[in-house]
Amino acid sequence: MEIKILGGNANPVVLEGICSHLGIAPTKHFVGRFSDGEIRVQIEESVRGQDVYLVQSTNPPAENLLELLLLADAARRASAARITAVIPYFGYARQDRKDRPRVPISAKLVANLIEAAGIDRILTVDLHADQIQGFFNIPVDNLYATPIFKRFFLEDFEEKISAEKWVVVSPDVGGIKRARLIAEKLWNLPLAMVDKRRPRPNVAQVVSVIGEVEGKNVLLVDDIIDTGNTIANASKALIERGALRVLVMATHGLFSGRAREVLGESPIERILITNTVFRRNRALPEKTQVLDVSGLLAEAIKRIHSSGSISALFL
Ligand code: R5P
């Protein structure tokens, strides 16, 4: 059984990157549009009996999700032996429970759609909440981007991180587990937390800072940057409470709306993200540095293909 890799238009950079790490060419395929805008998909070489990987993030527009579903349907009807969706950024994950009246559980609906399209397993990076794995009845490998950030700090960062000078901060209660993991993996740093409230969607208010940040350099850790309000407000509150500087480390950079301006005006010194979300012709906020996830995903694909363990990738 051979590895066959293809994808939609959501993340061509990661698709190319994975192929180049694996030393294979993408399987010939077409993902375009009919004249009225309807999505047209065709896999242009045989995948019969093969191990197929569909690389596609599901951030907006919703057509990214639809392209993934159509590619999966095409692969299934072409008798692929196994179809794995490689979803660098799993969008629609933030609504993962019914926490107010008359709202959908979007993450569960998307999981149902993915399974209905015939996908056999999922490989993704930093799911918004680990328990979303349970929305699927197929295996989900949820990689953490931590090893990529850790390598950056070891090999490319100009300074040495130490527990005397640095503190890891979560910008909200929901992110505390992620921040704690990173604090432990990065030289056992101390941990603090911002108490953030969301009076309505996309509005983030800081209520207080829990923990010691005075006189320290802050590594502010989040999974997603969307409007930028969460980390911009957190950084202001941290500087007001005596933090020396704030660096941000977040896996998925969506940067919607005024994020570029909001972050430009904030006291954040540097923003590290990964390329799980592709930004076609849209400028990143200044101070942003993008790290590549394709090596990590390629390694995971190699191991899934050969039925090897991927737990070694969870540094
Ligand atoms: C929230 O639970 C997430 O972890 C992020 O903090 C949030 O999605 C960031 O959104 P924004 O940049 O719009 O404040």
Side-chain angles (χ1 to χ4, degrees):
M1 195 163 61
E2 280 176 41
I3 295 182
K4 296 282 183 182
I5 302 194
L6 50 152
N9 294 301
N11 207 324
V13 176
V14 171
L15 172 66
E16 285 293 326
I18 292 174
C19 287
S20 111
H21 278 282
L22 293 175
I24 58 176
T27 299
K28 287 199 193 99
H29 64 289
F30 172 85
V31 182
R33 300 292 183 268
F34 287 102
S35 151
D36 66 347
E38 193 174 301
I39 298 167
R40 184 164 77 82
V41 159
Q42 186 172 10
I43 301 174
E44 293 167 322
E45 58 183 274
S46 173
V47 292
R48 185 177 295 271
Q50 308 299 353
D51 193 14
V52 173
Y53 294 83
L54 305 174
V55 180
Q56 180 84 335
S57 287
T58 56
N59 51 287
E63 286 182 310
N64 286 337
L65 173 62
L66 203 48
E67 285 182 0
L68 172 66
L69 301 177
L70 293 172
L71 278 169
D73 191 66
R76 185 171 58 83
R77 291 175 195 279
S79 306
R82 182 173 66 176
I83 305 169
T84 301
V86 180
I87 309 179
Y89 169 64
F90 185 89
Y92 289 90
R94 282 175 286 183
Q95 282 202 276
D96 58 2
R97 61 196 176 282
K98 194 167 172 205
D99 57 355
R100 58 190 75 184
R102 299 173 295 283
V103 293
I105 304 182
S106 316
K108 174 62 181 152
L109 176 62
V110 169
N112 288 347
L113 291 171
I114 284 174
E115 282 190 40
I119 287 167
D120 298 300
R121 59 187 305 143
I122 307 284
L123 172 61
T124 189
V125 184
D126 279 322
L127 270 177
H128 180 56
D130 287 331
Q131 56 271 29
I132 290 172
Q133 292 171 70
F135 291 179
F136 290 90
N137 292 313
I138 53 176
V140 177
D141 291 312
N142 177 30
L143 300 178
Y144 297 123
T146 326
I148 298 170
F149 290 114
K150 183 163 185 181
R151 193 172 332 118
F152 168 84
F153 282 111
L154 282 173
E155 294 172 9
D156 300 316
F157 195 53
E158 312 71 37
E159 300 162 47
K160 200 168 171 312
I161 306 263
S162 71
E164 295 74 53
K165 293 191 184 156
W166 288 82
V167 56
V168 171
V169 177
S170 169
D172 52 32
V173 186
I176 195 76
K177 197 173 148 233
R178 179 178 307 109
R180 189 191 304 125
L181 180 80
I182 286 163
E184 280 166 11
K185 302 286 176 199
L186 287 174
W187 305 278
N188 237 339
L189 302 181
L191 188 62
M193 190 193 88
V194 174
D195 184 10
K196 173 184 92 174
R197 304 285 157 91
R198 273 213 192 278
R200 47 186 194 281
N202 287 138
V203 177
Q205 280 174 358
V206 171
V207 178
S208 63
V209 174
I210 302 163
E212 201 45 64
V213 298
E214 198 177 343
K216 299 262 191 174
N217 301 320
V218 167
L219 197 53
L220 187 59
V221 172
D222 209 348
D223 59 334
I224 299 170
I225 304 173
D226 185 356
T227 62
N229 287 325
T230 296
I231 54 167
N233 293 347
S235 66
K236 282 178 213 149
L238 290 161
I239 296 289
E240 275 164 21
R241 280 148 181 95
L244 301 178
R245 46 208 272 254
V246 178
L247 274 72
V248 172
M249 181 177 139
T251 309
H252 312 293
L254 293 165
F255 302 119
S256 70
R258 291 189 65 253
R260 206 162 169 264
E261 293 77 47
V262 167
L263 295 169
E265 289 155 13
S266 78
I268 294 169
E269 185 180 302
R270 198 191 280 201
I271 302 171
L272 298 170
I273 56 160
T274 75
N275 56 358
T276 54
V277 176
F278 176 57
R279 296 180 59 75
R280 195 183 302 275
N281 304 327
R282 284 186 300 143
L284 284 166
E286 281 169 28
K287 334 163 184 173
T288 305
Q289 198 167 339
V290 184
L291 310 180
D292 185 15
V293 289
S294 51
L296 181 71
L297 289 169
E299 187 55 40
I301 288 172
K302 230 192 269 177
R303 290 170 190 234
I304 291 170
H305 179 64
S306 59
S307 302
S309 162
I310 69 160
S311 58
L313 301 178
F314 297 101
L315 268 194

